[in-house]
């Protein structure tokens, strides 16, 4: 079989689907335009004139009595009896939305990458290839790259704003998460069982052996302090990117609770908000793993499940919580769209006048930034999902609740080809020597980047994304609940 084989066919088919089918059957567009979301239309100038009891004056004297003097905008009382009309979101309405292409591409590409991952996992479980590169890893990495790119673009948009304090908020939370990451990296494995220490030790030993074989003297590729400092900087960037998504999620959660009438919906909203906390607790050893592996059942300690089963259950819990967050997306987006009517109701309680243009902008701005809010809701979800998928594949875990003791497809054999080229004889001796050297180098890299290293890194990153999202959401909940004036 070739270097990629069946996986190459799956990739080519999915590329064709992305190009030909997804533009017509888009999940991203269906989430917005299925008819369940309704947005508030801004009133026209004529409607505001009628409500204010004013007519368009022809002379300068008439315009003066109507609140319009030469180039000054026409104003109306804030306590005007205004009721906004609603309309279902259609495909034509999405043309004017900011960041709609980025939103559609991220969601649709994530769907395609997830399908490729599922097909690849089924292929590996049935055929069990040992000399092929796992192409689903590349798809997952591309999804994470697109999600980070979108969050970076949104964060730079906040930095460009000159009239608000968004820039200070991002910088403050960035430094806060840097200090928090440094504190977390000091905690021993007895409390947070990421496996970073063992993974880094395995990486350093393998790298030193590789360098010794190459005739180079080295004490290791990087020191532990430098490694943790690099992780802390990366964590601070992730925390800064997830600041406003978490703050926005808290506001939408409160509004969605007020909008929900059924108890089951309110319960699901609470679980959805606490989902990052549940993910964080999955790696807190004294609360979850120690309690399950060594439950207090008298003098004898009988583990309820095996350690491999616990790791598998942890992966499934994260995926189910991500599915719940996707299912509750429309409730949160509708709660955001209701901010237009909420702003008008708040305006009616104030005294004074407001210009027609400012009133129209206040109402229209909510709908035009719908895709920005959707991206802030979806991007962290995408990062959590595909970091978990990478953790399963590169960490050599299993999807079965009762995984086999001896896995036939270890990740070091599924990530990089080891002896593919040796099966077909080269054209001449020089090419043969080159191929052998490349094969040996790839085999050495597989021994350096082991599943133990990937387990530690990806477990920590998955935990950190959930921790950042919950921290910012909790702060946003406190801010919107107690610090804002109702």
């Amino acid at each position: 079989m070739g270097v990629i084989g069946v996986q190459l066919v799956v990739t080519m088919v999915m590329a064709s689907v992305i190009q030909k089918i997804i533009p017509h059957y888009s999940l991203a567009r269906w989430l917005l335009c299925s008819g369940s979301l309704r947005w508030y239309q801004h009133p026209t100038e004529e409607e505001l004139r009628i409500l204010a009891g004013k007519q368009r004056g022809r002379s300068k004297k008439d315009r003066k009595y109507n609140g319009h003097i030469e180039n000054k905008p026409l104003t109306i009382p804030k306590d005007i009896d205004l009721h906004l009309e609603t309309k279902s979101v259609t495909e034509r309405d999405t043309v004017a939305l900011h960041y709609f292409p980025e939103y559609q591409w991220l969601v649709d590409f994530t769907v395609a990458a997830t399908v490729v991952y599922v097909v690849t996992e089924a292929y590996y479980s049935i055929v069990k290839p040992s000399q092929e590169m796992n192409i689903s890893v590349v798809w997952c990495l591309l999804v994470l790259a697109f999600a980070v790119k979108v969050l970076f673009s949104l964060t730079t948009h906040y930095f460009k704003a000159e009239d608000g304090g968004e820039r200070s908020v991002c910088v403050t939370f960035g430094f806060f998460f840097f200090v928090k990451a440094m504190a977390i990296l000091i905690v021993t494995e007895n409390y947070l069982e990421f496996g970073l220490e063992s993974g880094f030790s395995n990486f350093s030993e393998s790298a030193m052996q590789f360098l010794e074989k190459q005739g180079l003297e080295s004490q290791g590729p990087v020191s532990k302090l430098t490694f943790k400092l690099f992780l802390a900087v990366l964590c601070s960037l992730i925390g800064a990117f997830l600041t406003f998504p978490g703050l926005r999620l808290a506001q939408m959660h409160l509004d969605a609770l007020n909008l929900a009438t059924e108890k089951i919906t309110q319960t699901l909203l609470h679980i959805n908000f606490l989902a990052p906390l549940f993910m964080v607790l999955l790696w807190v050893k004294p609360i979850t793993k120690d309690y399950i592996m060594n439950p207090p059942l008298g003098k004898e300690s009988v583990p309820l499940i095996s350690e491999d089963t616990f790791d598998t259950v942890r992966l499934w819990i994260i995926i189910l919580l991500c599915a719940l967050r996707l299912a509750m997306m429309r409730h949160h987006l509708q709660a955001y769209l209701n901010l237009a009517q909420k702003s008008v109701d708040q305006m009616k309680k104030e005294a004074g006048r407001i210009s027609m243009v400012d009133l129209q902008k206040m109402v229209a701005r909510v709908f035009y930034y719908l895709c920005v809010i959707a991206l802030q809701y979806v991007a962290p979800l995408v990062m959590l999902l595909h970091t978990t998928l990478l953790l399963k594949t590169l960490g050599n875990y299993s999807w079965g609740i009762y995984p086999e003791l001896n896995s036939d497809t270890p990740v070091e054999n599924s990530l990089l080809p080891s002896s593919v080229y040796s099966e077909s004889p080269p054209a001449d001796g020089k090419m043969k020597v080159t191929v052998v050297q490349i094969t040996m180098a790839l085999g050495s890299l597989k021994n350096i980047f082991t599943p133990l290293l990937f387990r530690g890194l990806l477990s920590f990153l998955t935990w950190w994304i959930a921790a950042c999202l919950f921290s910012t959401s909790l702060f946003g909940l406190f801010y919107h609940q107690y610090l804002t004036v109702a």
Side-chain angles (χ1 to χ4, degrees):
M1 187 174 289
V3 177
I4 297 181
V6 175
Q7 299 183 79
L8 178 60
V9 177
V10 174
T11 298
M12 295 176 64
V13 170
M14 189 53 63
S16 300
V17 170
I18 293 175
Q19 184 180 7
K20 302 294 185 181
I21 299 179
I22 285 184
H24 303 285
Y25 300 95
S26 171
L27 175 64
R29 191 168 57 246
W30 179 78
L31 288 173
L32 297 182
C33 308
S34 61
S36 59
L37 293 179
R38 301 189 66 85
W39 63 285
Y40 290 86
Q41 296 178 291
H42 65 81
T44 62
E45 185 177 340
E46 194 64 30
E47 292 174 349
L48 293 176
R49 276 201 171 96
I50 295 175
L51 290 175
K54 298 180 179 181
Q55 298 179 353
R56 185 184 297 272
R58 296 182 179 180
S59 63
K60 184 180 296 186
K61 183 178 180 181
D62 294 335
R63 293 198 298 270
K64 179 178 179 181
Y65 284 114
N66 287 336
H68 182 83
I69 302 178
E70 295 182 355
N71 294 328
K72 292 184 178 180
L74 182 64
T75 60
I76 58 174
K78 288 186 176 181
D79 58 351
I80 190 173
D81 188 16
L82 175 62
H83 298 280
L84 301 178
E85 296 182 358
T86 61
K87 178 186 176 183
S88 298
V89 180
T90 61
E91 295 185 13
R92 181 177 297 181
D93 298 329
T94 58
V95 177
L97 296 180
H98 299 289
Y99 283 90
F100 179 74
E102 290 83 353
Y103 160 75
Q104 185 176 12
W105 171 253
L106 179 61
V107 174
D108 293 340
F109 187 84
T110 301
V111 172
T114 306
V115 172
V116 171
Y117 183 88
V118 172
V119 174
T120 304
E121 287 295 304
Y123 171 69
Y124 267 79
S125 63
I126 296 174
V127 181
K128 295 180 174 58
S130 59
Q131 304 296 340
E132 293 188 18
M133 173 183 176
N134 195 329
I135 200 67
S136 63
V137 173
V138 179
W139 283 83
C140 292
L141 290 176
L142 287 175
V143 170
L144 292 177
F146 290 138
V148 172
K149 176 182 177 297
V150 167
L151 290 176
F152 174 76
S153 178
L154 294 177
T155 305
T156 55
H157 178 76
Y158 286 116
F159 266 81
K160 294 177 182 178
E162 298 179 356
D163 55 345
E166 291 87 354
R167 183 186 313 171
S168 301
V169 172
C170 289
V171 173
T172 302
F173 271 91
F175 278 106
F176 166 74
F177 284 119
F178 177 78
V179 176
K180 181 180 178 180
M182 292 295 292
I184 293 298
L185 291 172
I186 298 175
V187 178
T188 63
E189 298 286 339
N190 295 328
Y191 298 98
L192 295 174
E193 49 126 11
F194 302 126
L196 272 176
E197 298 290 338
S198 57
F200 178 78
S201 300
N202 181 270
F203 168 73
S204 298
E205 293 175 1
S206 302
M208 290 176 62
Q209 294 177 2
F210 172 77
L211 293 175
E212 289 177 359
K213 290 181 180 179
Q214 303 300 321
L216 301 175
E217 295 183 0
S218 175
Q219 297 181 353
V222 65
S223 64
K224 183 181 294 186
L225 179 61
T226 306
F227 174 72
K228 291 190 174 182
L229 183 62
F230 172 77
L231 273 182
V233 173
L234 178 62
C235 290
S236 67
L237 292 176
I238 295 175
F241 292 161
L242 295 179
T243 297
F244 280 99
L247 297 177
R248 177 64 65 179
L249 177 64
Q251 183 180 11
M252 291 190 297
H253 172 70
L254 292 175
D255 294 338
L257 283 177
N258 296 328
L259 186 64
T261 56
E262 300 179 355
K263 292 293 184 180
I264 183 63
T265 304
Q266 295 177 354
T267 303
L268 292 177
L269 286 172
H270 285 300
I271 297 176
N272 178 64
F273 183 80
L274 296 175
L277 176 61
F278 298 150
M279 298 179 190
V280 168
L281 294 179
L282 290 175
W283 274 276
V284 181
K285 197 173 182 181
I287 297 179
T288 53
K289 192 170 185 178
D290 284 351
Y291 189 80
I292 295 176
M293 299 296 297
N294 301 304
L297 300 176
K299 296 182 179 180
E300 297 183 357
S301 177
V302 180
L304 298 179
I305 58 177
S306 64
E307 186 172 354
D308 293 336
T309 303
F310 177 80
D311 295 333
T312 302
V313 170
R314 180 163 52 192
L315 297 177
W316 277 113
I317 290 176
I318 297 176
I319 292 177
L320 291 177
L321 292 176
C322 290
L324 174 62
R325 176 148 295 196
L326 180 63
M328 305 305 295
M329 178 178 176
R330 289 181 180 174
H331 294 275
H332 290 82
L333 293 183
Q334 186 59 59
Y336 166 75
L337 291 174
N338 290 347
L339 287 179
Q341 183 63 52
K342 188 177 179 180
S343 300
V344 172
D345 295 338
Q346 181 65 29
M347 180 194 68
K348 293 180 181 179
K349 301 177 182 178
E350 301 174 357
R353 304 178 69 86
I354 186 174
S355 66
M356 289 186 179
V357 177
D358 292 339
L359 177 58
Q360 291 172 336
K361 287 182 179 180
M362 180 181 65
V363 176
R365 187 184 297 116
V366 175
F367 175 66
Y368 290 148
Y369 282 93
L370 174 62
C371 283
V372 176
I373 306 305
L375 279 173
Q376 291 179 338
Y377 187 89
V378 170
L381 166 65
V382 168
M383 292 176 65
L384 278 172
L385 175 62
H386 281 267
T387 307
T388 305
L389 298 182
L390 282 176
L391 175 60
K392 185 271 168 189
T393 302
L394 298 180
N396 197 20
Y397 288 118
S398 173
W399 290 120
I401 300 298
Y402 299 99
E404 299 178 0
L405 296 177
N406 297 323
S407 177
D408 296 332
T409 58
V411 72
E412 56 265 23
N413 291 335
S414 61
L415 182 60
L416 292 171
S418 59
S419 60
V420 174
Y421 300 98
S422 61
E423 297 178 359
S424 58
D428 51 16
K430 185 177 181 180
M431 183 180 297
K432 182 177 181 180
V433 173
T434 304
V435 171
V436 170
Q437 291 177 351
I438 294 176
T439 304
M440 293 178 61
L442 292 177
S444 301
L445 288 178
K446 290 186 302 178
N447 295 328
I448 296 175
F449 298 98
T450 60
L452 200 60
L453 173 64
F454 288 120
R455 285 187 181 187
L457 277 177
L458 294 174
S459 295
F460 175 74
L461 290 178
T462 304
W463 183 90
W464 181 256
I465 293 172
C468 290
L469 195 58
F470 180 72
S471 299
T472 53
S473 301
L474 192 64
F475 177 81
L477 188 68
F478 175 78
Y479 175 79
H480 292 293
Q481 190 77 13
Y482 300 103
L483 300 183
T484 57
V485 180

